[in-house]
Amino acid sequence: MRIGELAARTGVSVRALRYYEEQNLLGAERSPSGQRHYLESAVDRVRLIQQLYAAGLSSGTIAELLPCVVDGRATSGLVERLAAEREQVDRRITDLLHTRDRLDSVVTAATANLHTGASCRRETARRAAEAGPGR
């Protein structure tokens, strides 16, 4: 398939697909006129790349782990790197959960303010203090 079709099927811009190719995350065959042609498997690969980016992995890290995912090749160094990346994802999830909890407190206090007129500042300040520093 051509680059425009791959972009349409994956919801990724043509520009992003070209970037993936520059970063050695995605490969394409070239026609005699230089047009890119992708295999059907490129759809799943682009979706995987998007998921890994969404998880916070860099293009360099994604390039390191793709051989394992695509071809089944791994090294002990790669396994260690993947485990470290997973730990970072876990930390980001924990941070997001704490942020959601704080936001819930703000929403609760604001809702109470709408219904009772009570100040939502004191309540949210108290809850933030209970959550601890950096949370």
Side-chain angles (χ1 to χ4, degrees):
M1 81 188 80
R2 293 177 56 187
I3 195 166
E5 182 182 349
L6 182 58
R9 289 183 59 188
T10 60
V12 174
S13 71
V14 168
R15 182 177 178 185
L17 295 174
R18 288 186 185 120
Y19 174 78
Y20 296 170
E21 194 172 336
E22 289 171 10
Q23 299 300 309
N24 295 316
L25 304 177
L26 184 64
E29 294 181 12
R30 297 286 185 145
S31 70
S33 63
Q35 293 180 333
R36 292 172 174 89
H37 290 277
Y38 297 93
L39 299 174
E40 183 67 27
S41 60
V43 173
D44 287 334
R45 187 172 184 131
V46 169
R47 289 182 179 144
L48 173 63
I49 292 166
Q50 286 296 109
Q51 290 171 332
L52 296 172
Y53 271 131
L57 278 67
S58 69
S59 58
T61 300
I62 294 170
E64 287 178 45
L65 70 88
L66 278 177
C68 179
V69 174
V70 175
D71 301 329
R73 291 180 283 133
T75 64
S76 59
L78 177 60
V79 171
E80 290 173 15
R81 178 73 186 254
L82 291 171
E85 289 295 334
R86 188 183 188 293
E87 287 176 21
Q88 288 182 7
V89 168
D90 280 342
R91 282 193 294 277
R92 284 192 295 274
I93 289 169
T94 299
D95 289 345
L96 284 170
L97 289 171
H98 287 293
T99 301
R100 184 194 62 193
D101 291 345
R102 287 192 65 192
L103 184 56
D104 285 345
S105 295
V106 171
V107 169
T108 300
T111 302
N113 174 266
L114 286 176
H115 294 295
T116 66
S119 173
C120 58
R121 282 176 146 178
R122 285 189 293 250
E123 183 66 15
T124 55
R126 180 186 63 76
R127 290 186 183 172
E130 288 173 356
R135 299 282 183 219

